[in-house]
């Protein structure tokens, strides 16, 4: 058990819809990362938050957004869903370090499997 | 932007054979991390390399960081069926940059 909790585990919805994925980091971790994993693209970094503020952006679509709340949990919002958005979405948190970009390892949750019909 | 390439994409070995996956970056890295993802699981941190030419061992696993800090390798000696999974390298360019994951090498070990 990594200590990172993601809900829901599975989500099935239709094209054009909007969903929210939730992540609770390990106790004490300030950084939260979101990744998308599909068969042909590997592990794609989407976005990072540190203590409530956005710190780094990767290949995140404009239809996607995220936020980190004062209690440090994070939500990833996916809107106007397309078939190609079907994937496994991971959240990871990282241990407290001197900077938002320090080198502690990331701890991944079990992921949310999103299926678009 | 920074690219981290991993080869091979897939590797199928007989139990007892050795296995190596290679990671190459287009830019110098400040550090590199390795993760393992079992089928149906999530990535789990294995190790971090920071110094040029660094070599670290974990039982049958040997990790190397290149002298130029642009490449790394993971070597598994005498593979076992428990080694099955996808191995990812992830490199960071430096302070202020996010970790970039390679696409991973999927290892299949048959008894």
């Amino acid at each position: 058990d990594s200590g990172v909790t993601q809900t829901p585990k599975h989500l099935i919805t239709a094209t054009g819809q909007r969903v929210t994925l939730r992540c609770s980091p390990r106790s004490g971790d300030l950084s939260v990362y979101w990744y998308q994993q599909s068969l042909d693209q590997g592990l794609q970094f989407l976005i990072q938050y540190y203590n409530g503020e956005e710190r780094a952006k990767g290949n995140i679509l404009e239809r996607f957004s995220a936020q980190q709340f004062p209690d440090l949990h994070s939500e990833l919002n996916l809107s106007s869903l397309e078939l190609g958005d079907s994937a496994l979405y991971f959240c990871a948190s990282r241990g407290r370090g001197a900077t938002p970009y320090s080198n502690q390892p990331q701890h991944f949750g079990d992921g949310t499997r999103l299926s678009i019909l | 932007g920074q690219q981290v390439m991993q080869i091979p994409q897939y590797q199928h070995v007989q139990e007892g054979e050795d296995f190596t996956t290679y990671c190459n970056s287009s830019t110098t890295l400040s550090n590199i991390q390795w993760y393992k993802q079992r089928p149906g699981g999530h990535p789990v941190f294995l190790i971090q390399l920071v110094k040029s030419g660094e070599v670290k061992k974990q039982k049958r696993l040997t990790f190397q960081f290149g002298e130029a800090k642009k490449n790394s390798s993971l070597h598994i000696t005498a593979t076992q069926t428990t080694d099955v999974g996808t191995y990812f390298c992830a490199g960071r360019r430096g302070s202020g940059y996010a970790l970039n994951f390679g696409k991973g090498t999927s290892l299949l070990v048959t008894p």
Side-chain angles (χ1 to χ4, degrees), chain A residues 37 88 90, chain B residues 35-39 41-44 84-88:
Chain A
Q37 186 174 45
L88 191 52
F90 283 109
Chain B
Y35 292 77
K36 176 184 178 181
Q37 183 177 19
R38 293 183 188 275
H42 58 265
V44 174
V84 166
T86 301
Y87 293 84
F88 292 96

Side-chain angles (χ1 to χ4, degrees), chain A residues 31-35 45-50 53-60 66 94 100-101 106, chain B residues 92 96-100:
Chain A
S31 279
V32 168
Y33 301 78
W34 286 98
Y35 294 89
F45 168 66
L46 297 178
I47 199 163
Q48 177 202 356
Y49 279 82
Y50 179 84
E53 293 187 10
E54 181 185 306
R55 286 297 181 176
K57 250 184 179 179
N59 300 321
I60 187 166
R94 195 200 66 219
Y101 309 104
Q106 296 184 16
Chain B
R92 187 190 308 279
Y97 293 92
L99 204 56
N100 271 291

